[in-house]
Amino acid sequence: MSHIGMQYDNGPEVLTDINLQLEPGSFQFLTGPSGAGKTTLLKLIYLALQPSRGVVQLFGREPALCDRDEMAHLRRKIGVVFQGFGLLDHLSVFENVAVPLRVTGRQHHEYEDDVQDLLRWVGLGSVLDASPATLSGGEKQRVAIARAVVAKPELLIADEPTGNVDPEMGRRLMRLFSELNRLGSTVLIASHDLALVRSIAADIYTIEDGKLSFKPAKSARRAK
Amino acid sequence: MNTERKQAQLLPSDAEHDGPLFFVIAIIVFLASLAAIVALLAVQNVNHWKSALQSEMTVQIISGDPAQTQAAASLLLSISGVKAVRVASREEAKSLLEPWLGADNIPDDLPIPLLVHIRLSEKDPASSENVSEALKNAGIEASIDDHQRWAGDLARSSGIIQILSITVLALLVSASIAVTGFATRSGLAARKDLVNVLHLVGARDQVIARLFGRRFVLLGLKAGASGAGLAAISIIILMLGGVGDASFMGLSIQPGLGSFLLLLPVPVITAMVGGWTAHRSVLNSLRRQV
Ligand SMILES: Nc1ncnc2c1ncn2[C@@H]1O[C@H](COP(=O)(O)OP(=O)(O)O)[C@@H](O)[C@H]1O
Ligand SMILES: [Mg+2]
């Protein structure tokens, strides 16, 4: 994305002149104090918002020039772990995770095994039929992650994914993201938890005062 | 079945909103069904009466002399385009006067004009000019009523009823579209979480709209069936209550099989209107988002 500016309604500009290029297959962090505009920047990338000015490009397309169906197709290439999860309590854990597949018209029998395997892999094999409302914060987080990755997105975005979990669970989730990155997804994680950010060798973007600064991963880049 | 259990509705039914909506739509459908039936009856009635009236004529023999009346009757029968004649008795003529003069107040020697009813042939019926010409030539003083005025009045009043009921019908259909659109938008707002998630995981607008459309198709089907059922029950009560021959603004009300046939497609129409309205208002709302 280049020269992005963003303001809400007639409020002050939250982001000014942001330039950001995500290399395919990379693992990046986005940090910055609370209220700096991390969520706003992520929303611009996962197409929940349109920039007030500047150009966003995704997968070689310019969303601003796409019609609504093309936008939907772009969104399918992006998996998002929303801040606050965005789980649907009237659906079971299994169904929540299956939603991205269902909306593309895939049939239950086509994805049943994949979804169950994925949920077992994130350690939720025993709560497939539970409502997310009955789960702990860490479990909800993993449901949200499973939903974000179930359609094998090219880009995985997570907004404060460790916000509500204890440090141990935080580290486990980070290993999960690294694993997904190793499997080929580009990963972008927003977090204001610096300790967590430092625990993984990754490029770090920092937003402050509407500006973005970049710090490449220290020394040992992940072996590819 | 396991498979069934795991395919829960993405959009759960919403008793809190659907209950009142069901009630409102059922009432609208009930009223609309009645309006449609009244329009149908008006059409049927006027056609029935028109053909009955146009195949008949009444000749009043002013003198009231039975012999002259008989002569007139044979003369009338000889006119081409006349199928049958029937002379009304003095008693019959008297009974027509009773409402004005009272049963016992008509002296036997009061000259009462006698009536000859003419039934016209279906093909090339005789005109009232033919008839009056023939009577005049025979020197019989008579006045002829070819029921044109009455038929005109009838057609007019039936036309008014038709326009009224179709207007009412149109208003009720708009009301149901408006109330469904309103309910869809409030359902959309109530389910913002779901709509947001679906939208952001890449559901096309059509997919989301179909979810709501489906819900209102089902609701429309149920409410439509209830409303139409209620209308059918009302008709049965009307018929059983012997109101079959009652008249309303000059039209006799004889609800028959046609009325019930008219009600048959009502649930489907209601479902289609509901589904289409919901689908469209979801698309409209979504288009206003990113
Ligand atoms: N929907 C919104 N409407 C208006 N202002 C908003 C909205 N969302 C966020 N903001 C404002 O934008 C700024 C950045 O918020 P956000 O992107 O959520 O920051 P972060 O995720 O880094 O904590 C904050 O000042 C916040 O008040
Ligand atoms: Mg945030």
Side-chain angles (χ1 to χ4, degrees), chain A residues 8-9 14 32-41 43 83 159-160:
Chain A
Y8 288 101
D9 299 321
V14 176
S34 205
K38 300 181 293 296
T39 299
T40 303
L41 180 56
K43 281 183 173 174
Q83 189 168 18
D159 197 351
E160 310 277 0

Side-chain angles (χ1 to χ4, degrees), chain A residues 46-50 68-69 71-73 75-76 78 80 82 85-92 94-95 99-100 102-104 106-109 111-112 116 128-129 147, chain B residues 2-13 191-208 210-211 282-283 285-290:
Chain A
Y46 66 76
L47 305 178
L49 288 176
Q50 273 183 327
R68 298 188 61 83
D69 283 355
M71 291 278 273
H73 275 97
R75 288 189 182 101
R76 289 178 197 177
I78 308 171
V80 185
F82 302 102
F85 317 131
L87 299 178
L88 304 168
D89 289 343
H90 68 281
L91 299 178
S92 68
F94 174 92
E95 286 162 344
V99 161
R102 234 172 128 171
V103 301
T104 63
R106 302 257 305 271
Q107 295 301 308
H108 182 263
H109 63 86
Y111 58 69
E112 180 171 20
Q116 286 182 357
L128 294 181
D129 293 325
R147 184 178 65 190
Chain B
N2 199 23
T3 312
E4 290 302 312
R5 181 169 56 85
K6 284 188 174 154
Q7 275 288 54
Q9 294 290 310
L10 280 181
L11 181 66
S13 69
R191 282 271 147 221
K192 213 179 165 68
D193 56 340
L194 171 70
V195 173
N196 244 328
V197 167
L198 294 179
H199 185 60
L200 290 176
V201 301
R204 292 187 306 122
D205 292 354
Q206 289 287 342
V207 171
I208 299 172
R210 221 173 290 143
L211 286 177
V282 170
L283 284 185
S285 302
L286 288 177
R287 239 172 255 135
R288 261 175 259 122
Q289 299 175 9
V290 178

Side-chain angles (χ1 to χ4, degrees), chain B residues 26-256:
Chain B
I27 290 172
I28 290 177
V29 168
F30 169 67
L31 296 174
S33 300
L34 291 186
I37 288 170
V38 169
L40 175 77
L41 290 179
V43 173
Q44 282 178 347
N45 252 287
V46 79
N47 289 338
H48 171 76
W49 279 105
K50 239 191 199 150
S51 62
L53 288 174
Q54 279 167 359
S55 63
E56 275 174 16
M57 226 180 261
T58 307
V59 176
Q60 241 185 75
I61 308 300
I62 306 292
S63 68
D65 170 21
Q68 195 183 37
T69 306
Q70 279 309 329
S74 356
L75 175 68
L76 288 169
L77 195 55
S78 69
I79 300 172
S80 93
V82 172
K83 197 168 161 193
V85 296
R86 186 176 68 81
V87 179
S89 65
R90 187 181 156 84
E91 292 312 308
E92 228 175 294
K94 235 167 98 175
S95 74
L96 288 175
L97 291 176
E98 267 175 27
W100 287 276
L101 300 180
D104 303 322
N105 296 335
I106 304 173
D108 282 344
D109 54 354
L110 180 77
I112 299 174
L114 287 178
L115 299 177
V116 181
H117 296 295
I118 304 177
R119 176 159 281 286
L120 301 168
S121 342
E122 274 105 58
K123 252 176 54 190
D124 295 323
S127 70
S128 60
E129 286 80 29
N130 297 152
V131 172
S132 93
E133 186 89 4
L135 291 168
K136 207 150 129 209
N137 291 344
I140 300 170
E141 199 189 348
S143 83
I144 299 157
D145 179 7
D146 62 359
H147 306 167
Q148 279 309 315
R149 235 193 54 189
W150 196 22
D153 285 352
L154 198 66
R156 242 184 327 278
S157 87
S158 155
I160 289 168
I161 293 174
Q162 282 172 54
I163 290 170
L164 273 178
S165 16
I166 288 168
T167 307
V168 168
L169 199 63
L171 287 174
L172 289 170
V173 170
S174 332
S176 73
I177 289 178
V179 77
T180 306
F182 177 76
T184 308
R185 282 187 294 278
S186 94
L188 207 55
R191 282 271 147 221
K192 213 179 165 68
D193 56 340
L194 171 70
V195 173
N196 244 328
V197 167
L198 294 179
H199 185 60
L200 290 176
V201 301
R204 292 187 306 122
D205 292 354
Q206 289 287 342
V207 171
I208 299 172
R210 221 173 290 143
L211 286 177
F212 283 87
R214 212 186 94 92
R215 168 155 145 203
F216 285 90
V217 163
L218 293 176
L219 191 95
L221 212 54
K222 283 189 248 172
S226 310
L230 217 58
I233 291 171
S234 315
I235 298 173
I236 292 170
I237 290 174
L238 267 178
M239 288 163 81
L240 290 183
V243 196
D245 290 328
S247 70
F248 171 67
M249 287 174 74
L251 297 175
S252 76
I253 300 171
Q254 294 169 307

